[in-house]
Amino acid sequence: MKLLTSTNYSSIIMKQYYQKMILLVLWIIIQGFLLWQNGVVTTEEAEKYISEAEYFLKTGNFSRNSFWLYSTQIFLIAATIKLQLSYTVVIIVQLLLNLYATLMFFKLAQFFLKNSILSFLVTFFFIINIPYQAYNSFLFTESIFYSLTVIYSSFLLRLNKLTINNLIIIIVFLALISITRPTGILFFGATAFYIFFRFLSNINLWKKLAIICSALIIFFATLNSMLQIGGSLNFMISFKMEYIVCGVNTTSENVEIKTLENGNSLRGILYYFFNNGKQFFRLSILKTISFFGLVRNYYSPFHNILLVIFFYPFYLLSLVGAWKMFRRKEQTFFYMAAIIVLFWITVLLTCDDWHNRFVLPILPFIFLMGLSVFKKADSIKERT
């Protein structure tokens, strides 16, 4: 075992400093290029958030309850309108959050991979992930959502003990993520799963059962309430119109399927599943290919080739990395695997996005799991 001398420690600090500086320069180049290419995007989906922000300033409420699930972005836009500021201020906030998320991702990589070169490489790939980074110049909800999920995950996965203060921070983060995009609710489930395996392994069986039951009741009750809000969160439409990509029906008219009158609920989804299994499995295969496959027939061949070259090796590596993490009983596996599976299941129950936005939140975890393949066995120290 090597002793950490003051000289070695200084060398490590300097190495990390140079790595951060290189990553910072790369981040500035990528963000500058994307901002130059896209400008401040206030069209398409941004229009409804701007319109809703204006409506909120006039009425003190939203036009539909479903907008509460996107309220972080709407409130930020409303603040810039109220203060008579340029929408560039929103982009600056998004870029600062993304920069902080990048730093936190680097710290998480150091903690998880325990190797400076691997930590640098995975953060390098995180920064040059253009489909992920592009939304920093859009007045969409994605940029803030992606950044918050990375910041939160870095905080959670680097905890050594679960205290009351940490639990409060976790709850606040989860609440904020859930009102930034509806899929933020999925982090509740992944967090409960992780906390159970990471911090509650030594408690007695009855307490475990009580905690599991309570967590499941809260999670499913919250999810069911969100489904009742309506708006774009209508699960049955995707099955009636056989959506693979949202809004692009594969049939010219509604397909006859068995549903409850209130199909947009957990009970309605279960009823659909047990009464329309053949259609569900057929659509699930197509949605899975779309979700993880990334390529689209409306992209150029060159665009699709770049997507395959950049992402597919990480998919293969992450499968091997996930197996190794599971074999090594690394607790972080439960969180990362839960996030990936929950987002995948959500797409199976709804539809995939036109521009692959739904797969982007899980890519940082796929990157980490992929490069964990190269982690040395003697560097893996289980936390207790």
Side-chain angles (χ1 to χ4, degrees), residues 18 24 30 62 66 72 76 90 98 108 110 113 121 139 159 161 194 196 220 252 254 293 296 300 331 360 381:
Y18 288 126
L24 176 60
I30 294 295
F62 294 132
S66 58
T72 302
L76 179 58
V90 178
N98 179 268
L108 175 60
Q110 289 178 312
L113 298 172
L121 285 175
L139 264 67
L159 286 178
K161 60 187 298 187
Y194 173 71
F196 178 79
F220 286 118
S252 58
N254 285 354
R296 299 284 191 263
S300 70
Q331 292 98 339
L360 296 179
K381 299 176 181 179

Side-chain angles (χ1 to χ4, degrees), residues 165-340:
N165 288 339
N166 289 335
L167 194 57
I168 292 172
I169 293 173
I170 288 170
I171 293 171
V172 170
F173 254 118
L174 289 173
L176 181 59
I177 291 170
S178 296
I179 61 170
T180 302
R181 281 194 66 80
T183 46
I185 186 66
L186 302 179
F187 284 85
F188 274 91
T191 298
F193 198 49
Y194 173 71
I195 287 176
F196 178 79
F197 283 99
R198 172 71 180 88
F199 298 107
L200 306 179
S201 57
N202 296 324
I203 64 175
N204 67 58
L205 178 62
W206 291 108
K207 286 183 178 179
K208 280 185 179 179
L209 290 174
I211 291 169
I212 291 172
C213 291
S214 299
L216 288 174
I217 290 171
I218 293 171
F219 176 71
F220 286 118
T222 304
L223 180 59
N224 197 57
S225 297
M226 290 176 67
L227 293 176
Q228 301 301 311
I229 289 176
S232 61
L233 299 175
N234 192 329
F235 282 37
M236 289 302 112
I237 288 179
S238 67
F239 295 112
K240 289 178 180 178
M241 301 305 294
E242 296 203 332
Y243 290 160
I244 305 302
V245 173
C246 296
V248 182
N249 53 298
T250 56
T251 180
S252 58
E253 56 184 18
N254 285 354
V255 176
E256 290 294 328
I257 58 175
K258 295 180 181 179
T259 62
L260 295 178
E261 184 177 349
N262 181 20
N264 210 46
S265 63
L266 290 176
R267 181 167 171 263
I269 291 171
L270 288 173
Y271 181 88
Y272 162 80
F273 175 78
F274 287 110
N275 289 277
N276 305 273
K278 187 176 180 180
Q279 185 210 39
F280 176 77
F281 285 114
R282 176 172 59 84
L283 292 178
S284 293
I285 293 171
L286 296 174
K287 291 175 184 179
T288 298
I289 293 171
S290 175
F291 180 65
F292 289 107
L294 294 166
V295 298
R296 299 284 191 263
N297 57 15
Y298 42 81
Y299 288 165
S300 70
F302 181 67
H303 189 169
N304 283 328
I305 290 171
L306 287 179
L307 290 173
V308 170
I309 292 173
F310 186 79
F311 292 108
Y312 282 32
F314 280 108
Y315 285 157
L316 295 175
L317 287 172
S318 66
L319 291 174
V320 179
W323 174 245
K324 286 188 174 183
M325 289 171 66
F326 179 75
R327 290 283 302 273
R328 294 190 295 248
K329 298 180 180 179
E330 294 184 56
Q331 292 98 339
T332 48
F333 165 79
F334 297 106
Y335 180 80
M336 295 183 186
I339 288 295
I340 293 169

Side-chain angles (χ1 to χ4, degrees), residues 96-116:
L96 290 175
L97 266 177
N98 179 268
L99 178 59
Y100 184 59
T102 304
L103 174 62
M104 293 298 283
F105 184 75
F106 180 67
K107 290 183 177 181
L108 175 60
Q110 289 178 312
F111 176 82
F112 174 64
L113 298 172
K114 296 179 174 61
N115 181 291
S116 62

